[in-house]
Amino acid sequence: MKVTGLELKASVQTVRLGSAAYRVVRPADPLTGWLVDRQICWNSFDGALDAHSFRALTIAWAFAARSPRTITYLPIASDGTESTALCLELVLVHHWLQLPASRWKSLRSRLGPGHVETIVLPPSAYDGREDADSWYHRENRDRFSHSVAAGTLVLAGSRPTFERDLAQLVELVEDGPAELATLPDRHVCVELAAELIHVELVGRRQAMLGPAGE
């Protein structure tokens, strides 16, 4: 499935916290899957999403890259029947907003239904950057930062940092489901935010079960 023309139904709301106002955009339906903190592994965060949720994540990631004044909130839902692990939600935000992760719990508690809009991005929004290797250069200061607060991974970056991950997200959305259908045992995944987050493409039933063996 090509990403061009994909759309995402999203709830949009402005939330006031003290003297500050924050625009929060989130999918109308939560993503299906899970994300957990695995500090003992090479990747700090490990997760899985079904194909529909990967499409939503890709649209949201591209939207977040172009939306420095908006908090992009991605609730992730599973029934967790095979897990006792604390599954996290995800927030994408620009450094420009200077959002302390400690504020997220209060912000989330003020969210209502908002109003529903349809996000459709131009093809150029999915163009990735070719300079991903520069993340590993000592002089590069344009990097993601992250915190965990209120059961949420708050990931802060800039337009270039978000755009560096778009190419692999687009490739998975366009080719991953067919690859998995042909080779069900194949591990199809992406490494996001300079390998901070590892997310695997799985079937919907597996995504709903949550992380096994926790």
Side-chain angles (χ1 to χ4, degrees):
M1 176 180 288
K2 297 295 183 182
V3 296
T4 303
L6 286 181
E7 58 183 47
L8 178 66
K9 298 288 186 184
S11 169
V12 181
Q13 184 177 1
T14 297
V15 179
R16 291 199 169 273
L17 194 60
S19 60
Y22 298 93
R23 182 173 182 256
V24 182
V25 172
R26 68 187 189 273
D29 298 313
L31 277 60
T32 301
W34 48 269
L35 179 68
V36 295
D37 189 348
R38 297 195 192 276
Q39 294 291 348
I40 62 172
C41 296
W42 176 257
N43 301 102
S44 292
F45 300 92
D46 192 21
L49 295 172
D50 68 2
H52 178 79
S53 297
F54 252 112
R55 292 194 290 272
L57 172 64
T58 301
I59 298 168
W61 201 276
F63 174 82
R66 292 175 163 232
S67 306
R69 300 175 185 273
T70 299
I71 297 170
T72 303
Y73 168 38
L74 299 172
I76 306 175
S78 70
D79 63 23
T81 55
E82 293 189 1
S83 175
T84 58
L86 173 62
C87 293
L88 304 174
E89 299 181 316
L90 181 63
V91 160
L92 309 177
V93 64
H94 277 241
H95 289 304
W96 181 88
L97 270 182
Q98 298 184 350
L99 174 70
S102 58
R103 284 193 169 194
W104 173 241
K105 183 176 182 180
S106 295
L107 275 172
R108 186 178 57 194
S109 69
R110 287 166 169 78
L111 288 175
H115 66 277
V116 176
E117 296 183 4
T118 301
I119 297 175
V120 181
L121 301 175
S124 59
Y126 298 101
D127 292 341
R129 291 180 175 256
E130 301 298 329
D131 59 345
D133 288 343
S134 69
W135 263 342
Y136 303 102
H137 295 173
R138 182 181 302 175
E139 65 272 15
N140 178 34
R141 299 179 181 275
D142 194 9
R143 305 185 182 193
F144 281 112
S145 60
H146 71 280
S147 302
V148 175
T152 306
L153 171 60
V154 181
L155 188 64
S158 64
R159 178 165 177 167
T161 55
F162 284 111
E163 287 183 340
R164 287 185 184 115
D165 286 328
L166 283 174
Q168 59 172 326
L169 282 167
V170 168
E171 182 179 7
L172 185 143
V173 167
E174 293 186 341
D175 303 329
E179 182 179 356
L180 203 60
T182 304
L183 300 167
D185 294 329
R186 176 69 60 89
H187 184 90
V188 181
C189 68
V190 292
E191 306 281 355
L192 302 174
E195 300 184 353
L196 176 71
I197 307 171
H198 164 268
V199 189
E200 183 182 0
L201 172 65
V202 298
R204 182 173 179 83
R205 182 176 180 279
Q206 187 178 349
M208 285 295 295
L209 290 176
E214 293 295 328

